[in-house]
Amino acid sequence: MEAKKKERVLIFDTTLRDGEQSPGASMNSDEKLRIAHQLEKLGVDIIEAGFPVASEGDFLSVQQIARQVRQPQIAALARANLADIDRAWEAIKEAAHPRIHTFLSTSDIHLKYQLKKTRAQVLKEACAAVAHACAYTPNVEFSPMDATRTEWNYLCDVLEAVIAAGATTVNIPDTVGYIIPDEFGRLISHIYEKVKNIRKAVISVHCHNDLGLAVANSLAAVKHGARQVECTINGIGERAGNAAMEEVVMALETRKDFFGFRTGIKTEHIYQSSRLLTHITGIPVQPNKAIVGANAFAHESGIHQDGLIKEKSTYEIMTPQSVGISGTHLVLGKHSGRHAVSEHLKKMGYKLTGADLKKVFVRFKELADVKKEIFDEDLEAIVYEEVYKIDERFKLVYLNVISGNVAVPTATMQLEVDGKIIQDAGFGVGPVDATFTAIRKITDTNYNLLKYVVTAITGGTDALGEVMVQLKYNGRSVAGRGADPDVIVASAKAYINALNRLEFIKGDVKKVRIE
Ligand code: KIV
Ligand code: ZN
């Protein structure tokens, strides 16, 4: 007998909208487009591409994604007012499958202190917004913001009214990450019972991670009837972030015996998606992060290792391969030829040809001269630096650092700035400080350094050092990353990368932010 086809849970990815609200996660339009293409490859059902009314940059970026990413639905966010909705539609009208996502707060706290409106007013405005959006497209989602702190019966009234007005998806946001899984499950059941027309819409959930419960809450909601989960890659997002897509998807997949659902996600592209986001935003993933952390499949205990050798399932509930981690860590060295490197890159998911492959191979050879073994992570760092780099106003030409317990740490540096070579030197309390001083002098900038993090990409003292810096500009923060066997050079690269990324942000002044 043919197995019964499992019901589908839709994956709505908001990495490019809510995820971008993470401190330091600002991305330029090319970077967003690259992420959107990766999300399409991953098989997400809906991409929330941005909030078009926020700025001209957001609008253009959503429009570009709508025009070029044709498989998934492309959603644009809009507050519940006519102007926002018009702007959202303008941005996505050329999408193959457009969706307008409009939202309005419904909790008494928000109504009293933020909106200064009555419940009746909010209900009316929500319906008017949905009706206006429906004039453009039948694919309309409504979110009662702060739904989990909204009085349940009023929430049900709003949901029933917006469905009657034409909403085909009703999202239940846990905006401040307040609810507990069991309680959320009961809320979804309550909505099913009380909202008469609920079967005309899909129930979605959108959970924030303030209590570390975003994934658990999303799964509890699925168990009680939600059929769309809003999430982000690596769980990035406002404050403690959003539900992590890879965790939601792998929980549904690994425990399909319990949930009985499937998603459209091609799980073997999860790891590469996570790495792409880390490379673009410079926001690292903690080593013990589920599914995509460096230690997610590492077994330290002797007893576990013994069990694994005898039978993998003793201590492994999913394979690294199932999420796209090759698991082989094939080592390349200085005698590896161009073909071997290209074939290995292909296995890692990077199909490079022509000039791109040549640039990567040249860098590979340079690294292999100083580092005995080249691992996947080393190769990946090269690919991101050589192939996926952004337009650069500032380029590192030369760096010489003197440091030690008797020297005054001094960095002498040459940068190319707008095509002109500029040289200067800086002192500091240590070599990194001296390097950053030199960069600040040459570029005539002085941004607040919010964060400086060094990690070794692979083991050993000859490992590539990966550095992430975060700079503050005009209330926003931007991250930069750099990798090199020399951590001081990696630090300089990271700082310069952040400055280059800042150039894009300066030109994109946000007029509206979702508070
Ligand atoms: O967290 C939230 O409430 C949101 C809405 C705009 C859906 O992001
Ligand atoms: Zn949110």
Side-chain angles (χ1 to χ4, degrees), residues 237-257:
E238 190 81 46
R239 308 181 308 278
N242 289 60
M245 148 158 6
E246 59 281 2
E247 295 179 25
V248 171
V249 168
M250 289 315 287
L252 290 174
E253 174 65 26
T254 309
R255 294 305 312 274
K256 41 184 179 290
D257 59 315

Side-chain angles (χ1 to χ4, degrees), residues 107-117:
S107 68
D108 285 339
I109 304 179
H110 284 209
L111 264 58
K112 182 169 173 197
Y113 297 106
Q114 199 179 13
L115 302 183
K116 302 195 189 331
K117 285 181 182 161

Side-chain angles (χ1 to χ4, degrees), residues 14 17-18 21 48 145 173-175 206-208 230 238-239 241-242 514:
T14 183
R17 199 278 298 168
D18 222 343
Q21 287 171 228
E48 185 161 56
M145 189 145 98
D174 185 24
T175 304
H206 174 113
C207 298
H208 279 271
E230 304 198 354
E238 190 81 46
R239 308 181 308 278
N242 289 60
I514 305 162

Side-chain angles (χ1 to χ4, degrees), residues 5 88 101 109-110 114 183 213 227 233 235 247-249 253 298 311 323 375 378 396 436-437 440 495 497:
K5 218 171 163 208
H101 176 194
I109 304 179
H110 284 209
Q114 199 179 13
E183 192 187 10
L213 294 171
R227 292 293 176 266
I233 298 177
E247 295 179 25
V248 171
V249 168
E253 174 65 26
E311 164 56 44
V323 296
F375 295 95
D378 299 320
L396 177 65
F436 289 178
T437 306
R440 282 194 286 263
Y495 199 105
N497 180 240

